[in-house]
Amino acid sequence: MCDAPATATGAEVFNGFKGKRKLWELTSKLLCPVIGTCLTTSEIRKLAQKVVDKEQARKSDYWLHTWVVSNCDSKHHLSLTVQKHLDKKFAAAIKRFGLLKCRDELKQLWQQHIDRGASAEALWALLTHPLCDLAMQDMAYETIHMLSHQIGAGQRADLKRLHEAEKELVELRKALDKSQQKAHQTISNKECQLDTLQRQVAELKADNLRLKEHNQRLELGGDSSALAPQLQQLRNELASTSSSVEILDRQKVQWQQKLRQSEENILDLTQKLRQREQETRALEGFVKQSLSPCNGCSADSCRDCPDLKGQKILCVGGMHRMTDQYRELVSRCNGEFSHHDGGVEDRSKRLDALLWSADAVICASDCISHDAYYRLKRFCKQHNKRHLFIPSSGISSFAKAMDDVANGVSCISL
């Protein structure tokens, strides 16, 4: 049931604002969260440059924020410019909120926007709505105030995760450099040894050929009985030389195999480093977005935050303690999150139901049962469902997968 706007407070609010509220009609208490949440620092600088001059626009972020808040409590050029900018920026949200005619529906729509991280557009659309009374204003103020604390805590967690990922990346690069240097040194040594062996083989083959020719000359010569000891000696030398040639050939094959193994190890380490760099870049994008001054921008207007466009993301497997962080990343990217533990406690029938409802599936292959793994793979292949397998349950691997889903990268199978 919608609450009727016939009460004294409701009628007063409705009659006082037959149309949308203006920025300068808001209380001074609300101006600070509105400016801080609905405008980015870069937008404030552009507005300052447009309204005043470039010198003002080069001042500190805090000074610009305070300047806009203190100068938007009355109707003049700056407040009119900010009003026009916010109406244009959040036109879609204003239209959605404007269709509602009772406060219960207004509160419900507000909560829906807050749940999916669209706090900026919801705040402006709610506070400028004719039915927004003092109680709803206080509700919006308290929600935005607490969100600022939660975002600060999330930023600290993101920074810690980024620091750990960068540290791991540095160590991996050092290990790769060390392995490459060792491999190059080994390859260089083996090449020198191979050259030496090849020269020895060539010399032995030449000696072998010379001995055969000499043997033939002796057999075609005169008294073979007088030459018999010399002939036997030459035959013994020929057998010894042939044996040495065979040993050197086997050593050559062994060194060639070791050389190929070294090259394969270098290629494997290079691929792992490239994967870690991609995961770190994805995680840096999330951290950069969480540190953005807009504090809850919509994904359509943020270049650093991948936009899932409301897709339902199913995470199968992974460590249970990471589930809340997975959920936070999906929510931040304008998506809906669901989780199945990969057969540890959740039943397989529940996995089938979740797979049907998901738009894309991310599977942490290091923490999942064999049955759930093959069930997921078979289902996604039969029904052409987008799915990605990530090698580990770490937050950086999941962040990279989120970036791939948002960018439409083809499915990856292990």
Side-chain angles (χ1 to χ4, degrees):
M1 293 292 292
C2 294
D3 57 339
T7 62
T9 304
E12 182 180 0
V13 171
F14 186 78
N15 294 333
F17 299 96
K18 294 183 179 180
K20 282 194 323 91
R21 278 191 183 86
K22 305 300 181 183
L23 179 64
W24 52 88
E25 294 172 342
L26 300 177
T27 63
S28 56
K29 173 183 176 181
L30 297 174
L31 285 177
C32 180
V34 167
I35 299 302
T37 303
C38 299
L39 290 175
T40 66
T41 303
S42 59
E43 289 174 334
I44 294 177
R45 291 189 184 280
K46 289 180 181 179
L47 291 173
Q49 184 175 344
K50 179 179 180 181
V51 176
V52 189
D53 53 42
K54 294 182 179 179
E55 187 65 28
Q56 296 283 78
R58 283 193 287 267
K59 294 191 175 182
S60 68
D61 295 347
Y62 177 76
W63 189 94
L64 286 171
H65 172 80
T66 306
W67 175 69
V68 174
V69 171
S70 60
N71 285 278
C72 283
D73 57 355
S74 60
K75 182 179 181 181
H76 50 73
H77 186 39
L78 175 62
S79 58
L80 285 168
T81 303
V82 175
Q83 173 80 31
K84 182 178 179 181
H85 176 80
L86 292 176
D87 284 346
K88 182 178 180 181
K89 180 178 180 180
F90 301 123
I94 293 172
K95 183 177 180 181
R96 286 193 296 271
F97 276 75
L99 297 175
L100 305 181
K101 301 302 180 183
C102 70
R103 292 187 181 85
D104 287 344
E105 293 178 349
L106 202 61
K107 290 179 181 178
Q108 193 175 33
L109 184 58
W110 157 265
Q111 191 59 47
Q112 291 174 1
H113 281 67
I114 293 299
D115 290 341
R116 66 182 180 87
S119 57
E121 60 185 66
L123 180 63
W124 180 248
L126 177 70
L127 293 180
T128 57
H129 196 282
L131 292 180
C132 181
D133 55 16
L134 293 177
M136 296 184 72
Q137 291 178 14
D138 290 340
M139 174 194 68
Y141 177 83
E142 292 170 1
T143 301
I144 296 300
H145 180 81
M146 294 309 298
L147 277 177
S148 65
H149 291 300
Q150 296 171 8
I151 291 172
Q155 290 174 352
R156 290 191 295 273
D158 287 342
L159 284 173
K160 182 179 178 181
R161 289 195 294 265
L162 178 60
H163 177 71
E164 292 173 352
E166 290 175 341
K167 183 178 179 181
E168 183 180 353
L169 183 59
V170 169
E171 293 175 354
L172 188 58
R173 282 175 174 167
K174 289 180 179 178
L176 177 61
D177 292 340
K178 186 176 180 180
S179 298
Q180 285 180 331
Q181 292 175 359
K182 185 177 180 180
H184 287 317
Q185 184 63 39
T186 302
I187 291 172
S188 178
N189 294 336
K190 301 313 176 189
E191 287 177 347
C192 292
Q193 293 177 7
L194 283 174
D195 291 339
T196 302
L197 290 173
Q198 287 174 349
R199 286 195 300 270
Q200 292 177 358
V201 169
E203 292 173 357
L204 290 173
K205 287 181 177 179
D207 291 341
N208 189 17
L209 179 61
R210 190 183 75 253
L211 290 173
K212 285 182 178 180
E213 293 174 351
H214 186 61
N215 186 30
Q216 289 175 356
R217 286 195 300 269
L218 290 175
E219 289 178 347
L220 294 174
D223 188 4
S224 59
S225 59
L227 298 175
Q230 186 178 1
L231 181 61
Q232 184 61 40
Q233 181 182 358
L234 290 175
R235 286 175 177 172
N236 293 337
E237 291 180 359
L238 178 61
S240 176
T241 302
S242 300
S243 176
S244 298
V245 170
E246 292 177 358
I247 293 173
L248 290 174
D249 284 337
R250 288 196 296 270
Q251 290 179 349
K252 178 181 177 181
V253 172
Q254 292 175 355
W255 286 121
Q256 288 175 338
Q257 290 176 348
K258 291 181 179 179
L259 179 60
R260 285 194 295 270
Q261 291 175 355
S262 298
E263 292 175 345
E264 291 173 356
N265 289 337
I266 291 176
L267 180 60
D268 183 58
L269 285 172
T270 303
Q271 291 175 345
K272 289 181 179 179
L273 177 60
R274 187 180 298 112
Q275 175 69 19
R276 293 301 299 169
E277 287 176 340
Q278 292 174 349
E279 293 175 355
T280 301
R281 282 196 297 271
L283 185 57
E284 286 174 348
F286 283 104
V287 172
K288 184 177 180 182
Q289 189 275 333
S290 68
L291 295 175
S292 173
C294 61
N295 291 336
C297 63
S298 62
D300 294 334
S301 62
C302 182
R303 293 176 293 179
D304 297 314
C305 179
D307 184 11
L308 295 176
K309 304 183 185 304
Q311 294 186 77
K312 297 179 179 179
I313 306 300
L314 170 61
C315 175
V316 181
M319 291 181 286
H320 182 72
R321 59 186 176 84
M322 303 293 292
T323 304
D324 291 338
Q325 299 182 44
Y326 298 157
R327 188 186 306 279
E328 179 184 348
L329 288 183
V330 173
S331 176
R332 189 179 300 172
C333 295
N334 192 20
E336 295 184 20
F337 177 82
S338 58
H339 178 258
H340 188 281
D341 65 8
V344 179
E345 295 180 358
D346 292 337
R347 294 183 300 174
S348 58
K349 290 184 178 180
R350 181 172 179 268
L351 176 60
D352 291 339
L354 291 172
L355 287 171
W356 276 112
S357 62
D359 296 313
V361 183
I362 298 176
C363 174
S365 56
D366 66 335
C367 192
I368 185 175
S369 69
H370 290 289
D371 178 69
Y373 176 89
Y374 289 109
R375 182 186 293 271
L376 180 153
K377 192 172 183 179
R378 184 169 55 252
F379 181 94
C380 293
K381 184 177 181 180
Q382 291 176 350
H383 301 283
N384 197 25
K385 182 80 66 174
R386 292 197 65 207
H387 60 289
L388 293 94
F389 291 93
I390 57 179
S392 70
S393 303
I395 192 66
S396 58
S397 296
F398 192 83
K400 172 64 170 53
M402 293 292 300
D403 194 57
D404 289 342
V405 172
N407 292 324
V409 174
S410 301
C411 299
I412 301 173
S413 297
L414 296 180

